[in-house]
Amino acid sequence: MSIAHQIALTLIPGVGQATAKHLLAFFGSAEAVFEAAVSDLLMAQGVGIAIANQIASKHVLIQAEAEQRYVEKHDIKVLFYTAGDYPQRLKECSDAPVLLYYKGAADLNQRRMLSVVGTRMATAYGKQLCMELAETLKTYGVLVVSGLAYGIDIAAHRESLRNNIPTVGVLGHGLDRIYPYHHKQIAQDMLERGGLLSEFPTNTMPDRENFPKRNRIIAGLSDATLVVEATIKGGALITAELANSYNRDVYAFPGRVNDPYSQGCNFMIKTNRAALINAPKDLLYYLGWDDVKEPKEPAQQQLLFGLSPEEARVMDLLKSAPLLIDELASKSAIPQGKLAIHLLNLEMQGLLISLPGKRYKVH
């Protein structure tokens, strides 16, 4: 089947997701739609004379062929609604896109997938929750989905990368750009273990109206949606409402009653739109993901044998609980300047995690 015809089906003026699916069902393929006569096109549900003439003119095929050349040049996959590699959870949603553009290595039909959303003005509390979430999920074979936006989104992606969790960012524009631009490096890092996904072709700007459309993909891709922090209005609550409409599980961390960035979470919990979780392990329990843990990679244990005596002393001190760098220096009798170098080396090896306030803990 021609990729250009599949792309062209999404570019016809006046044809939305529902009409495109009616055309596919009626004619059997995107190619057959463009080969049909106007009289036959008018027999399909939702197709009037203006749309029939647009299809028959084949003008959109020129744009689609240019788009095909771009995606092939940049190793972007075109995931069509009727193909086997299309995300099956998303396909269950009535408003699922007919076509998706995807670049990355993650399996969009992975057995366990979780969408993580929240405010763009994430507090230290929200960022800490994202850190704890990733540390909990890293041995359970979960793929984390979010929107690459400021705040909770980027914290979820960043912590996933730190813990070797595959993570996919769903964009509100074409894959020829990254928005916000400051997240370009993280987006590039995500391609190695996760990916970037969009329903929008190249040259699509990150316009305001694109993000609610993006949110339905975030909600539809996963088994469940977790709201970490959210105001009473915003994209996070929209995504959660969409997940509820798809009969997907929605969870939320509670916050202080007077914290504006937790009002959305508290409201959803109070109105039974989301189940309350106090810790990431609650999420595993509710989803039934805590039955069998994926085997841990033995790399960390192997690395421990190659440590210097002072590095081994630091690791031993941190086994029981996180410590401040001052406490580590005192207990290990290692000068702070030298200790800082050891801590950096251990962190680069993935053995330690640096916490806010110059605290360190074993990974």
Side-chain angles (χ1 to χ4, degrees):
M1 186 182 290
S2 167
I3 293 176
H5 286 88
Q6 294 175 346
I7 295 172
L9 186 62
T10 69
L11 303 177
I12 304 165
V15 173
Q17 305 300 334
T19 303
K21 290 171 188 173
H22 289 317
L23 285 165
L24 278 174
F26 192 86
F27 293 101
S29 71
E31 200 163 359
V33 170
F34 287 96
E35 291 173 352
V38 169
S39 58
D40 292 329
L41 289 166
L42 290 170
M43 296 174 65
Q45 184 178 344
V47 176
I49 189 64
I51 290 176
N53 286 332
Q54 284 279 359
I55 296 171
S57 72
K58 297 182 174 62
H59 289 324
V60 291
L61 275 170
I62 298 171
Q63 182 183 349
E65 287 165 357
E67 188 72 17
Q68 180 180 359
R69 289 193 292 272
Y70 181 89
V71 300
E72 289 176 347
K73 180 180 178 181
H74 293 88
D75 298 320
I76 296 171
K77 300 174 186 175
V78 173
L79 308 178
F80 196 62
Y81 188 73
T82 57
D85 56 358
Y86 188 92
Q88 294 305 302
R89 294 176 183 85
L90 185 60
K91 193 172 183 178
E92 296 170 1
C93 307
S94 60
D95 56 355
V98 169
L99 183 144
L100 293 163
Y101 299 95
Y102 177 57
K103 186 169 185 177
D107 178 7
L108 298 180
N109 286 304
Q110 187 158 321
R111 188 163 66 97
R112 295 172 174 175
M113 294 180 65
L114 175 70
S115 292
V116 180
V117 297
T119 177
R120 297 189 179 203
M121 304 293 291
T123 69
Y125 169 71
K127 293 174 184 176
Q128 178 67 28
L129 289 174
C130 288
M131 181 186 299
E132 293 173 6
L133 177 69
E135 289 175 357
T136 302
L137 295 181
K138 64 185 178 183
T139 57
Y140 288 88
V142 180
L143 187 154
V144 171
V145 177
S146 197
L148 204 71
Y150 287 114
I152 294 300
D153 284 19
I154 200 63
H157 291 309
R158 184 181 289 115
E159 294 302 328
S160 294
L161 290 174
R162 284 175 60 119
N163 288 275
N164 292 319
I165 297 171
T167 181
V168 169
V170 184
L171 310 182
H173 48 79
L175 294 185
D176 56 331
R177 69 193 72 219
I178 294 297
Y179 175 83
Y181 182 78
H182 292 96
H183 296 165
K184 185 175 182 179
Q185 184 57 57
I186 288 181
Q188 290 176 344
D189 294 341
M190 287 166 63
L191 295 177
E192 297 180 11
R193 280 191 59 83
L196 301 174
L197 183 70
S198 177
E199 68 176 305
F200 300 105
T202 56
N203 299 315
T204 302
M205 299 295 290
D207 295 326
R208 183 185 295 258
E209 62 269 19
N210 293 347
F211 290 94
K213 296 178 183 177
R214 181 274 310 265
N215 291 344
R216 83 188 195 285
I217 299 175
I218 295 174
L221 274 174
S222 298
D223 302 291
T225 293
L226 171 63
V227 187
V228 177
E229 278 188 305
T231 57
I232 202 68
K233 294 182 179 178
L237 262 65
I238 293 173
T239 307
E241 287 293 331
L242 287 164
N244 275 317
S245 73
Y246 299 149
N247 293 315
R248 305 291 166 82
D249 290 342
V250 178
Y251 302 93
F253 285 110
R256 293 176 298 184
V257 294
N258 59 348
D259 189 337
Y261 299 112
S262 288
Q263 285 182 358
C265 293
N266 294 341
F267 171 77
M268 287 192 298
I269 293 167
K270 182 176 71 174
T271 57
N272 296 317
R273 288 174 166 86
L276 182 152
I277 60 168
N278 287 315
K281 286 187 177 180
D282 294 342
L283 185 73
L284 297 173
Y285 172 77
Y286 284 129
L287 290 171
W289 291 352
D290 60 347
D291 50 354
V292 180
K293 286 184 73 169
E294 301 287 337
K296 278 192 174 182
E297 295 179 0
Q300 186 185 67
Q301 197 64 34
Q302 293 171 3
L303 283 167
L304 291 175
F305 293 110
L307 301 183
S308 70
E310 289 185 338
E311 287 172 341
R313 196 186 317 160
V314 169
M315 289 294 295
D316 188 61
L317 287 169
L318 289 171
K319 278 181 181 178
S320 56
L323 293 174
L324 293 166
I325 189 170
D326 292 341
E327 296 172 321
L328 272 173
S330 175
K331 293 183 177 183
S332 66
I334 302 172
Q336 276 209 19
K338 194 174 182 183
L339 177 61
I341 296 172
H342 289 320
L343 291 170
L344 179 61
N345 288 337
L346 293 168
E347 191 174 358
M348 292 291 287
Q349 293 179 66
L351 298 175
L352 292 187
I353 295 175
S354 173
L355 302 174
K358 294 188 176 180
R359 292 166 63 240
Y360 293 84
K361 64 177 288 188
V362 174
H363 195 292

